[in-house]
Amino acid sequence: MLSNYPLSEVEKAFLKESGVEKISTLIPYLTVDNFPKLGLITACRFLEWAAENPNGVISLPTGKTPEYFIKWTQFLLENWDSKKGKDVREKYGLSGVKKPVLKDLTFVQIDEFYPISSKQKNSFFDYVNKFYLEGFGLNKEKAILINSDEIPLADGKHFKEVFPDLKVDLSLRFREPINNLEKIQQKSIYMIDHWCGQYEKKIRDVGGIGFFLGGIGPDGHIAFNTRGSHLYSTTRLTETNFETQAVAAGDLGGIEISANRLVITIGLDTIVHNPEAVGIIIAAGEAKAQIVKDSLETPLNNIYPGTVLQKLKNGRFYLTKGAAVRLTDSVDAYYQNGEWTWEKTERAIVDLCKKIKKYGHRLKIEDLKADKYTSMIPGLSEDTVNQVIKSTVEKINRGTTKEKNEVLLHTGPHHDDISLGILPHITNQLQENSNEAHFSVLTSGFTAVTNTFVIDTLLLTKRLLDEGEIQMVKYEDFFDVGYKLKTDKDVYHFLTNVASEDPDQRMRGLCHRVVRAVVDIFEVKSKQKLRETINDIISILKNSYDGEKNPSKIQKLKGMIREFEEELVWAHFGVQVKNVHHLRLGFYTGDIFTEQPDKKRDVIPIVEMFKSINPTKISLTLDPEGSGPDTHYKVLQATAEAVRQWGEEKDLSELRIIGYRNVWFKFEPHEANVIVPVSLGDMSVMEDSFANCYLSQVNASFPSYSHNGKFSTVAKRTWVGQLNDIQLLLGKNYFYQHDTAKVRSSHGLIFFKDMNVEEFLAHARELEKSIEGML
């Protein structure tokens, strides 16, 4: 396959390092071990191309995905002739390349939200100026950019006048306006369409894009060309779909904003207009694995926009191993390379059941011999399936074993992670009085709380203060020490009014906690100062654009709201506030590129918590490689280091580590060694506690791209799907005829991995390598 394509020297070097021997996809791809290395390969290929095309036309991506592309490009340019720079260049095909000069390149902005002020830090215009034009030293005069403030509209008006609610109704392209404002809007939309045509012409006048680098969305979108976009599409103003809006919610301050914001994007034909173009799509993490497979293994199709790269001889996908994991090539290599493990046998059998839609106990030896993968099982016999069934039953038995005399520490990167991951398992543990349970969320989670939620809560708080409904502020010592006392009472008050279905009194409980938080954070010393401070916060938030980084004290207030929500969930089961630990690790800043955990600042607090609680079991999110070293990954890094340090002082041979996953990633049956049955009652408890406690999340301002609603619904669907997989192996009668009520009542299953410390640290070490030696 690769012999038909002209590989560059950089690509040859990375292909050799990857060890991939067979590429059978319709677009060539290269794999690297991890997210930072994805940045390295793209930086090397970009600089190789720029050295050959000093006057070329480039188009580079925005968002979090290009973090390491930007860092590696700058590192190599600054260290081209230093020892470290030379070592990298020599290893990856740049040894004979003269240092490129980027100032004469023409930069083309890929896309932009519309309308959005170019002055906003979350506009792509600002990003491009900061990281590419300034960061790479490009010529601003030659750049072809999308500045919403400067796109001409009817009567010379600004978009804030033409679209006062920042909503653009594209139906005006085809229908009669009903009032004067709509007439101006219609004329403006036609003018924007004309501007888009001119933008396209500018790109084609310079010969088209010579080097295109872009990410891929969960629906397969390239730039903002969402699923279904025409393969011959050009630059245009267009709507987006839900998956794209969900991904953009983080940039814009919530789905409420991104759902109503249109986009201007170059088209699929814009990307491939120049037949000599280098077109590269980058993807990281298992979350992208299915769309990567569909994009690489499907002939040209508008359902998968990435297939358009089939038109370019220099079209490529650069992938992390996680993103490539579902490719037929990767599955083949998994089974064919290395020793055959029991995991491979389990995976092959379960996958065969799903593939041919046949229950495990009905599989015949002929079925096993006819399948590409099960036929490879060593010592294949009639008994092979029975062995897998037996192994799976043992996992369920482990998940139904009653735990006693355990000190449990359940941890999560964000608030709601623990609940969405393993709540039914935890409720089993909490029903046993000899167990002691602690919960810890390691970041403050403030980015998940919208400005609107805080404003509404503070307005209500102010009204309750004025009506004398927050009586604690009347006590003499309240502003000195009283605000720190009786935090359990806020929780109890709130949950009592969940039970009595009194939403007003429930919100009063939240407002009590918000008052305590404001007094604590802003060092308020009087009722008058409290009112003034609340007014100041409301004013700051009202004058902020959605998605703007908040001042640190408001970040802390948002985080403390999330902390209260977490306390409410565990209070459902009688867990006191003192057993819910809020660590607020310092790496979590809300910046677009967050820093790595610091061994002193971020690890020592976890070690101290371990020492004070002295747990016998610790649970944590054990996600695979994500879309880069995100919060889940960084928390895992910090936790693993804390376990290491704790192990230097204490014998941890008896400590168990429980690795769980939730709505972002899930275990496959062969990856888990414990399976916990989930009843309809368990699901109801999870759904109710989520809806009643995670107030800032119920409307899902930052939803999963797989569901437009509460995360608890996504978790429930995952559990049900996991039951379906295991039912196909064991048969439905295994469940409804089982000896125990717990298994008979299961309508979902939770998978997790139970490890000793050595196993956990080995796993974490594999993930940690994704940062080692990287800048």
Side-chain angles (χ1 to χ4, degrees):
M1 167 71 187
L2 278 174
S3 58
N4 302 330
Y5 288 85
L7 284 188
S8 78
E9 293 305 310
V10 164
E11 289 177 325
K12 287 174 188 173
F14 277 95
L15 177 64
K16 186 179 178 185
E17 186 177 82
S18 73
V20 172
E21 294 171 3
K22 183 185 78 169
I23 294 181
S24 61
T25 51
L26 297 169
I27 301 166
Y29 63 89
L30 291 166
T31 59
V32 293
D33 287 340
N34 49 59
F35 182 60
K37 208 157 203 176
L38 191 62
L40 176 60
I41 184 176
T42 47
C44 290
R45 182 68 185 102
F46 168 64
L47 292 171
E48 179 184 42
W49 181 89
E52 295 170 4
N53 300 273
N55 297 297
V57 180
I58 62 171
S59 204
L60 306 175
T62 51
K64 293 186 178 182
T65 307
E67 174 181 2
Y68 281 91
F69 163 69
I70 292 166
K71 287 179 177 175
W72 271 116
T73 299
Q74 290 174 331
F75 171 83
L76 286 167
L77 287 172
E78 289 164 13
N79 295 275
W80 197 262
D81 293 315
S82 74
K83 184 181 185 312
K84 193 171 180 186
K86 279 181 176 174
D87 288 348
V88 173
R89 291 198 295 117
E90 207 160 292
K91 188 174 181 182
Y92 293 115
L94 287 172
S95 57
V97 175
K98 190 182 173 190
K99 181 180 176 181
V101 177
L102 306 185
K103 68 179 179 61
D104 292 322
L105 295 172
T106 297
F107 186 93
V108 173
Q109 186 175 335
I110 294 175
D111 47 25
E112 182 61 281
F113 301 111
Y114 188 87
I116 188 170
S117 171
S118 59
K119 298 176 185 67
Q120 288 186 201
K121 297 296 179 192
N122 59 346
S123 70
F124 292 156
F125 180 86
D126 181 85
Y127 184 109
V128 161
N129 273 274
K130 179 179 178 182
F131 292 111
Y132 293 135
L133 301 187
E134 291 168 22
F136 286 8
L138 301 175
N139 186 344
K140 292 187 181 184
E141 300 303 313
K142 293 183 77 172
I144 302 172
L145 303 176
I146 306 169
N147 183 337
S148 295
D149 291 310
E150 293 180 358
I151 296 175
L153 302 177
D155 304 333
K157 293 179 183 289
H158 188 265
F159 66 70
K160 287 179 182 173
E161 299 171 276
V162 178
F163 308 108
D165 57 1
L166 302 183
K167 293 180 184 176
V168 182
D169 181 0
L170 290 184
S171 73
L172 283 165
R173 280 179 176 151
F174 314 111
R175 66 173 175 84
E176 287 294 312
I178 59 172
N179 55 40
N180 280 335
L181 180 61
E182 281 202 348
K183 283 179 184 173
I184 292 168
Q185 289 176 338
Q186 184 185 63
K187 187 178 176 186
S188 296
I189 290 169
Y190 292 151
M191 291 176 74
I192 297 167
D193 290 342
H194 176 75
W195 183 92
C196 289
Q198 295 300 110
Y199 191 85
E200 182 76 20
K201 183 175 185 299
K202 283 182 190 175
I203 297 168
R204 299 200 176 208
D205 284 349
V206 292
I209 297 165
F211 185 95
F212 174 85
L213 178 64
I216 186 166
D219 69 317
H221 71 250
I222 306 296
F224 273 128
N225 296 285
T226 54
R227 183 180 57 247
S229 294
H230 203 293
L231 292 172
Y232 291 92
S233 54
T234 56
T235 304
R236 64 206 182 280
L237 175 69
T238 185
E239 295 171 338
T240 55
N241 55 18
F242 170 73
E243 295 101 317
T244 306
Q245 292 159 11
V247 173
D251 294 315
L252 291 176
I255 190 76
E256 303 88 346
I257 316 301
S258 59
N260 291 310
R261 195 74 88 243
L262 301 190
V263 294
I264 292 173
T265 181
I266 61 173
L268 294 174
D269 198 56
T270 320
I271 295 168
V272 299
H273 171 71
N274 176 357
E276 300 300 315
V278 170
I280 299 168
I281 298 299
I282 51 176
E286 289 188 21
K288 296 282 175 71
Q290 187 59 46
I291 193 61
V292 164
K293 175 182 172 66
D294 293 334
S295 301
L296 287 177
E297 297 184 358
T298 307
L300 270 171
N301 193 313
N302 66 326
I303 300 298
Y304 303 114
T307 60
V308 77
L309 261 61
Q310 290 173 32
K311 294 183 176 185
L312 295 176
K313 64 182 178 185
N314 290 309
R316 304 280 188 272
F317 272 57
Y318 291 173
L319 309 167
T320 64
K321 285 183 176 173
V325 77
R326 291 197 182 176
L327 294 175
T328 303
D329 294 339
S330 300
V331 179
D332 285 350
Y334 167 80
Y335 285 112
Q336 290 165 3
N337 300 340
E339 63 170 327
W340 188 274
T341 60
W342 177 249
E343 267 196 11
K344 289 183 181 181
T345 298
E346 285 192 323
R347 178 178 173 180
I349 296 291
V350 172
D351 285 352
L352 178 62
C353 291
K354 289 157 76 172
K355 219 182 295 178
I356 65 175
K357 296 182 173 58
K358 208 169 186 180
Y359 287 112
H361 61 276
R362 291 191 178 151
L363 287 177
K364 305 278 189 240
I365 190 73
E366 294 77 36
D367 296 322
L368 303 182
K369 287 179 176 175
D371 180 69
K372 179 160 67 164
Y373 304 128
T374 52
S375 62
M376 297 166 65
I377 297 172
L380 186 64
S381 72
E382 294 279 2
D383 195 43
T384 301
V385 178
N386 292 332
Q387 290 173 349
V388 173
I389 288 172
K390 185 182 172 189
S391 163
T392 306
V393 168
E394 284 171 4
K395 295 179 186 184
I396 295 172
N397 291 341
R398 274 183 227 124
T400 51
T401 302
K402 203 171 180 74
E403 295 165 281
K404 293 183 177 180
N405 301 306
E406 300 283 5
V407 180
L408 307 155
L409 172 58
H410 294 291
T411 73
H414 306 97
H415 306 83
D416 73 22
D417 275 332
I418 306 168
S419 172
L420 294 168
I422 48 170
L423 180 61
H425 176 58
I426 293 169
T427 57
N428 295 339
Q429 295 173 326
L430 293 175
Q431 284 161 4
E432 169 55 51
N433 282 333
S434 67
N435 292 331
E436 177 190 333
H438 293 259
F439 299 86
S440 179
V441 178
L442 278 75
T443 71
S444 84
F446 59 80
T447 57
V449 183
T450 62
N451 291 351
T452 304
F453 182 84
V454 178
I455 290 167
D456 290 346
T457 304
L458 289 175
L459 287 171
L460 177 59
T461 303
K462 204 163 64 157
R463 179 165 69 78
L464 291 174
L465 279 168
D466 292 342
E467 292 170 358
E469 288 292 309
I470 299 181
Q471 293 155 359
M472 60 185 181
V473 298
K474 296 174 185 174
Y475 293 110
E476 282 182 21
D477 68 346
F478 177 75
F479 292 99
D480 295 323
V481 293
Y483 69 91
K484 297 178 184 175
L485 308 175
K486 297 187 178 179
T487 49
D488 279 306
K489 188 179 177 185
D490 303 335
V491 171
Y492 192 74
H493 176 95
F494 185 100
L495 293 180
T496 298
N497 289 291
V498 168
S500 63
E501 298 187 12
D502 188 337
D504 292 340
Q505 284 300 313
R506 194 170 63 187
M507 290 305 291
R508 187 173 154 230
L510 171 63
C511 293
H512 267 78
R513 181 56 68 88
V514 166
V515 166
R516 295 182 193 277
V518 171
V519 171
D520 182 13
I521 298 163
F522 294 88
E523 299 177 1
V524 172
K525 295 298 179 189
S526 68
K527 282 190 280 185
Q528 180 58 32
K529 188 63 180 169
L530 177 60
R531 278 190 180 81
E532 289 171 10
T533 304
I534 288 173
N535 285 333
D536 287 345
I537 298 167
I538 292 170
S539 175
I540 289 168
L541 293 177
K542 280 187 171 176
N543 288 307
S544 301
Y545 55 81
D546 292 294
E548 183 175 358
K549 186 179 176 181
N550 298 130
S552 60
K553 287 186 175 181
I554 294 180
Q555 286 181 344
K556 191 172 181 184
L557 174 62
K558 286 183 170 184
M560 289 177 82
I561 289 171
R562 295 238 64 197
E563 290 167 0
F564 178 57
E565 294 175 342
E566 194 72 14
E567 290 167 11
L568 291 173
V569 170
W570 304 119
H572 270 67
F573 310 99
V575 177
Q576 292 180 288
V577 168
K578 68 181 176 62
N579 280 25
V580 184
H581 310 271
H582 309 298
L583 260 59
R584 306 174 188 168
L585 297 186
F587 76 82
Y588 188 84
T589 59
D591 293 320
I592 187 160
F593 301 145
T594 57
E595 56 193 274
Q596 292 303 309
D598 177 83
K599 287 200 174 179
K600 196 168 184 181
R601 179 195 63 198
D602 297 318
V603 174
I604 288 176
I606 307 176
V607 177
E608 294 304 319
M609 177 174 69
F610 288 164
K611 287 180 184 174
S612 68
I613 295 170
N614 204 17
T616 58
K617 286 192 176 182
I618 299 171
S619 76
L620 42 79
T621 51
L622 195 71
D623 286 345
E625 162 205 78
S627 56
D630 55 8
T631 304
H632 281 221
Y633 169 77
K634 289 172 181 173
V635 163
L636 180 66
Q637 241 187 314
T639 307
E641 179 57 30
V643 169
R644 268 189 217 106
Q645 289 186 20
W646 191 32
E648 290 170 8
E649 300 177 26
K650 179 182 164 67
D651 176 12
L652 300 182
S653 55
E654 298 299 311
L655 179 68
R656 303 302 298 177
I657 306 287
I658 306 301
Y660 66 88
R661 292 180 183 165
N662 53 36
V663 297
W664 301 109
F665 301 102
K666 62 181 184 179
F667 283 116
E668 294 300 326
H670 65 276
E671 296 176 304
N673 59 10
V674 182
I675 297 176
V676 179
V678 181
S679 68
L680 286 174
D682 291 329
M683 292 180 193
S684 295
V685 169
M686 194 263 297
E687 287 264 39
D688 287 349
S689 62
F690 191 95
N692 289 323
C693 301
Y694 293 119
L695 297 175
S696 66
Q697 306 306 302
V698 171
N699 294 324
S701 290
F702 305 96
S704 161
Y705 55 80
S706 64
H707 174 64
N708 189 2
K710 299 195 301 287
F711 281 129
S712 52
T713 308
V714 183
K716 193 167 76 170
R717 286 179 181 174
T718 300
W719 299 343
V720 171
Q722 290 174 169
L723 173 70
N724 292 341
D725 287 353
I726 299 302
Q727 275 184 341
L728 204 47
L729 177 67
L730 303 184
K732 290 183 181 178
N733 59 325
Y734 170 84
F735 290 91
Y736 65 74
Q737 293 178 346
H738 201 273
D739 292 342
T740 66
K742 186 68 189 168
V743 178
R744 283 198 304 275
S745 68
S746 55
H747 292 280
L749 295 174
I750 288 173
F751 297 164
F752 63 78
K753 201 171 179 71
D754 183 330
M755 300 164 283
N756 62 31
V757 168
E758 213 174 286
E759 289 167 330
F760 165 63
L761 291 179
H763 186 92
R765 180 88 187 108
E766 281 302 302
L767 287 175
E768 191 183 32
K769 286 179 188 172
S770 68
I771 299 299
E772 250 177 28
M774 292 289 161
L775 295 171

